[in-house]
């Protein structure tokens, strides 16, 4: 958001503009911080997975004749696949939560945490960066008697 935008809306008092810009800066910094944290977490998880895969390949190469070791490696590979799926599910859940919070912020909620507590997150779907079901729930909240 730029100062010129606020002035074009008819806001002339500099102290009001500064307050709006400061609040907007807080929101942007929170989102940037969350995004950076998620990106770092994703990168760490990818590095861990690739390191495990390379270790397993090395073990498999060195133990071609040892059946017991080969079975152990197969078990480890299966465990790694399961861990990888769990990490992907956690990442997807974090992305969904972040998208919902962004949608709530975009709906101009005064208290994002309070609105998040009122939402039925299970009815909201998040696929390929698109969130569905959130606008209906927000509409119910804004038109509800409470």
């Amino acid at each position: 958001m730029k100062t010129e935008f606020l002035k074009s809306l008819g806001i002339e008092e500099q102290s009001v503009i500064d307050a709006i810009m400061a609040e907007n800066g807080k929101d942007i910094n929170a989102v940037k911080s969350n995004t950076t944290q998620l990106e770092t977490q994703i990168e760490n998880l990818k590095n861990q997975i690739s390191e495990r895969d390379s270790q397993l390949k090395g073990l498999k190469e060195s133990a071609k004749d040892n059946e017991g070791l080969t079975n152990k490696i197969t078990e480890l590979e299966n465990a790694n696949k399961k861990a990888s799926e769990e990490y992907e599910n956690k990442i997807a859940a974090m992305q969904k939560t972040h998208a919902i919070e962004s949608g709530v912020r975009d709906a101009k909620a005064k208290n994002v945490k309070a609105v998040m507590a009122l939402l039925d997150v299970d009815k909201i779907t998040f696929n390929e960066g698109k969130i569905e079901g959130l606008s209906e729930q927000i509409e119910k909240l804004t038109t509800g008697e409470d």
Side-chain angles (χ1 to χ4, degrees):
M1 184 180 319
K2 299 195 181 250
T3 305
E4 293 80 26
F5 173 72
L6 295 173
K7 287 183 180 179
S8 71
L9 294 175
I11 301 172
E12 296 295 327
E13 191 172 328
Q14 189 62 38
S15 63
V16 173
I17 291 174
D18 291 342
I20 292 171
M21 295 299 285
E23 190 64 31
N24 186 44
K26 287 179 190 176
D27 291 341
I28 290 172
N29 287 335
V31 171
K32 282 183 182 179
S33 173
N34 193 13
T35 302
T36 304
Q37 181 183 13
L38 291 174
E39 288 172 349
T40 303
Q41 202 170 23
I42 289 170
E43 192 61 36
N44 288 339
L45 293 174
K46 285 180 181 179
N47 289 337
Q48 288 176 5
I49 290 170
S50 64
E51 183 180 324
R52 284 187 204 154
D53 289 345
S54 64
Q55 289 174 350
L56 289 174
K57 283 181 183 178
L59 281 173
K60 202 172 209 176
E61 298 270 326
S62 65
K64 287 183 180 177
D65 296 331
N66 190 337
E67 187 175 324
L69 191 53
T70 305
N71 290 339
K72 181 66 175 174
I73 290 171
T74 304
E75 288 177 24
L76 289 173
E77 285 176 337
N78 291 336
N80 280 345
K81 284 181 186 176
K82 183 178 177 183
S84 177
E85 289 173 1
E86 288 175 4
Y87 287 135
E88 288 175 11
N89 290 339
K90 286 180 183 179
I91 290 170
M94 285 189 293
Q95 288 174 335
K96 178 181 177 180
T97 301
H98 180 68
I100 293 171
E101 287 175 355
S102 294
V104 170
R105 249 187 238 103
D106 292 343
K108 307 215 181 337
K110 292 181 181 179
N111 187 338
V112 175
K113 288 182 182 180
V115 173
M116 290 289 292
L118 297 172
L119 296 176
D120 185 358
V121 179
D122 295 333
K123 292 182 180 177
I124 300 172
T125 58
F126 179 72
N127 292 322
E128 299 176 15
K130 296 180 182 177
I131 194 147
E132 297 174 6
L134 178 63
S135 58
E136 292 84 4
Q137 289 191 36
I138 290 176
E139 186 177 324
K140 285 180 185 178
L141 290 175
T142 56
T143 59
E145 292 179 21
D146 295 342

